Amino acid sequence: MPKQKTHKGASKRFSLTGTGKVKRKKAFHSHILTKKTTKRKRNMRKSTILDARDTKGIKRLIPYA
């Protein structure tokens, strides 16, 4: 059976934790930051865990992560 290919777009956006959960960055932190509050921008710096119902599809895209 041939090796699976990693989805390069997904591998740049998602990574796996030690327990197998999918980690992601938060959205809306790239531009138009002047109207966003400092608290909102500070919270967007942190990474978060992907929702459980989306993990199966993402894990299929990054099989060797």
Side-chain angles (χ1 to χ4, degrees), residues 10-28:
S11 67
K12 291 169 191 174
R13 288 170 174 86
F14 302 102
S15 61
L16 291 181
T17 62
T19 56
K21 294 177 183 174
V22 180
K23 195 167 65 170
R24 68 169 178 90
K25 292 280 187 181
K26 291 190 180 168
F28 307 110

Side-chain angles (χ1 to χ4, degrees), residues 3 5 10 16 21 29 35:
K3 290 193 284 185
K5 287 204 172 182
L16 291 181
K21 294 177 183 174
H29 194 56
K35 62 176 80 169

Side-chain angles (χ1 to χ4, degrees), residues 37-48:
T37 62
T38 312
K39 181 182 179 181
R40 187 173 162 196
K41 289 187 279 190
R42 184 171 60 244
N43 286 330
M44 282 192 282
R45 273 187 232 143
K46 304 169 187 170
S47 59
T48 184

